[in-house]
Amino acid sequence: MTGETIENDLKAISKSYTRIAEQIGKFVVGNTPLIEMIFVSMLSEGHILLEGVPGTAKTVIAKTVAALSGCDFKRIQCAVDMQPADIVGVRMYDAEKKDFVLKKGPIFSNFILVDEINRVSPRTQSAFIEAMSERQTTIDGITHQFSDPFFVIATQNPYEFEGTFPLIEAQKDRFMFSTKLRYLDADEELEIIRRESTGYLDWDAYRSAIDPVLTPGMIRRFIGTARSVRAEEPILRYIRDIVLETRKHDDIWLGASPRASIAFVRGSKALAALSGRDYVIPDDIKRIARLALPHRLILRRESDLGGVTTGEVTEDILAAVEVL
C-alpha cells in the first residue's frame, strides 16, 4: 500500500467506527468500551471472551455490529448436553444424491455469538479450538473452511456454578481479548428506563432501520490496513518485556503464551488505526494489555486464596515494565 492509500484507509476506518458507535448508541446505552473492543478485535482477526452478569446487551451489540458490518450472524446457546456436531454440523446420507452431504452447523457464519460457553463440556468446547485457531473445521476427515471474516464472541456467567465447566486453558488462549462487563451506572440505568417508557427499545423497528456501514470486502481491506501500521523496535521490545514479566511474576503460576504477544501486536495496531494513526504508541500497548492478559494468567494458589486478581497483577506488571 502507498502512504496515501494507507492514510485514506485509516480515515475510513475511524469514520466507520464512529458511524457504527453512533448507530449502536441509538439503541444501546453505555458499553462504549465493549463496542470499541469488538471493532479492534474484528480488525485484529481475533475473538472475544466476555464475563459478566446477564442483561448487559451482549447479544444486542453483537447482532447490531454484524448487521452494520453487512455480515451473517448466528447465535449458539450452549447447554450441558450439547455435542460437537451441534456446533460444527454433521455429514448425512442423501438418498437422492446417493452420497453423504454436509449439514452445516451454526459455526458456519461470519459473526458467532457463543452464549454461556462454560455450560458445555470440555469435549464439546474442543470443537471451538480448531474453528477459532484455524478458521476451519474437520468433519469425518474432511476439512471445511469458514467464511471470511470469521469472528467469535463468547460469554460466560461467573455467578452460576451448577451445570458449568471451567474453560480449558487451550480454549481460553484462543480468545485474543477478554473483559468483565459491569451493570450500568445510575444515569445509564435511568436512560434505559426512559427509552423503554417512550417506546425506543423496540428491537424489530430498530433492526429494520439499520443500513450496513461496512461490507465483508471492506473489513478484509481494513484488516490489511491495520496490519500495515508501524510498530517500532522499542514498542516490540516493550511487548516482549511485558509478556516475559508474566512468566516470572511472584503471583503468577503460568504466564502468557506467545499468542499473547501476537494479540499485543495485532491489537495495538488495530487500536492505532482506529485512532487514525499509522504507528503504535506505548499507551496502545497498555490498553491492549488489560484485554489480552487477565484471562491468560493463572495465579499461584496462595495468591488466588489471598484475593489477588489477574487484573491487579496486570496493572502491577504495567507499572514495573518501562519502554526502552
Side-chain angles (χ1 to χ4, degrees), residues 110-183:
N110 296 123
F111 277 63
I112 316 292
L113 177 66
V114 184
D115 224 351
E116 297 182 301
I117 190 173
N118 55 333
R119 285 200 178 279
V120 297
S121 67
R123 176 175 179 268
T124 305
Q125 285 180 29
S126 66
F128 291 107
I129 293 179
E130 180 186 11
M132 293 172 61
S133 182
E134 306 296 330
R135 300 175 186 273
Q136 65 182 33
T137 189
T138 302
I139 303 173
D140 293 342
I142 302 174
T143 299
H144 304 272
Q145 301 293 328
F146 293 148
S147 302
D148 185 18
F150 176 72
F151 178 50
V152 175
I153 301 176
T155 72
Q156 61 175 346
N157 185 354
Y159 301 102
E160 297 179 14
F161 299 101
E162 290 193 24
T164 61
F165 304 85
L167 294 187
I168 56 179
E169 296 309 315
Q171 178 66 59
K172 286 198 293 185
D173 204 31
R174 259 65 177 187
F175 289 101
M176 185 171 283
F177 304 126
S178 73
T179 191
K180 293 186 177 182
L181 301 180
R182 60 170 180 82
Y183 277 130

Side-chain angles (χ1 to χ4, degrees), residues 86-131:
D86 297 323
I87 297 168
V88 300
V90 64
R91 295 180 73 234
M92 303 179 65
Y93 187 75
D94 188 317
E96 292 185 2
K97 296 182 179 180
K98 297 182 179 180
D99 196 5
F100 285 90
V101 297
L102 174 64
K103 181 181 179 181
K104 293 182 178 180
I107 199 72
F108 285 87
S109 188
N110 296 123
F111 277 63
I112 316 292
L113 177 66
V114 184
D115 224 351
E116 297 182 301
I117 190 173
N118 55 333
R119 285 200 178 279
V120 297
S121 67
R123 176 175 179 268
T124 305
Q125 285 180 29
S126 66
F128 291 107
I129 293 179
E130 180 186 11

Side-chain angles (χ1 to χ4, degrees), residues 220-261:
R220 289 190 290 269
R221 180 181 179 86
F222 288 166
I223 288 171
T225 301
R227 288 195 172 189
S228 70
V229 169
R230 291 180 290 109
E232 303 293 351
E233 187 67 18
I235 290 292
L236 301 181
R237 291 180 181 178
Y238 185 39
I239 293 173
R240 176 201 62 187
D241 292 345
I242 290 174
V243 172
L244 291 181
E245 183 64 25
T246 69
R247 299 172 188 172
K248 58 185 180 182
H249 193 282
D250 290 340
D251 288 315
I252 298 176
W253 178 69
L254 185 63
S257 73
R259 284 196 183 93
S261 298

Side-chain angles (χ1 to χ4, degrees), residues 253-311:
W253 178 69
L254 185 63
S257 73
R259 284 196 183 93
S261 298
I262 294 172
F264 269 107
V265 175
R266 293 189 180 183
S268 61
K269 287 187 174 187
L271 191 58
L274 207 62
S275 302
R277 283 183 279 105
D278 65 350
Y279 58 91
V280 176
I281 61 176
D283 282 350
D284 295 329
I285 304 302
K286 292 177 181 178
R287 290 180 64 185
I288 292 300
R290 298 180 177 100
L291 303 174
L293 287 183
H295 66 291
R296 289 186 164 93
L297 306 180
I298 300 180
L299 301 179
R300 296 185 184 279
R301 182 172 178 80
E302 55 271 24
S303 298
D304 192 21
L305 292 175
V308 177
T309 67
T310 55

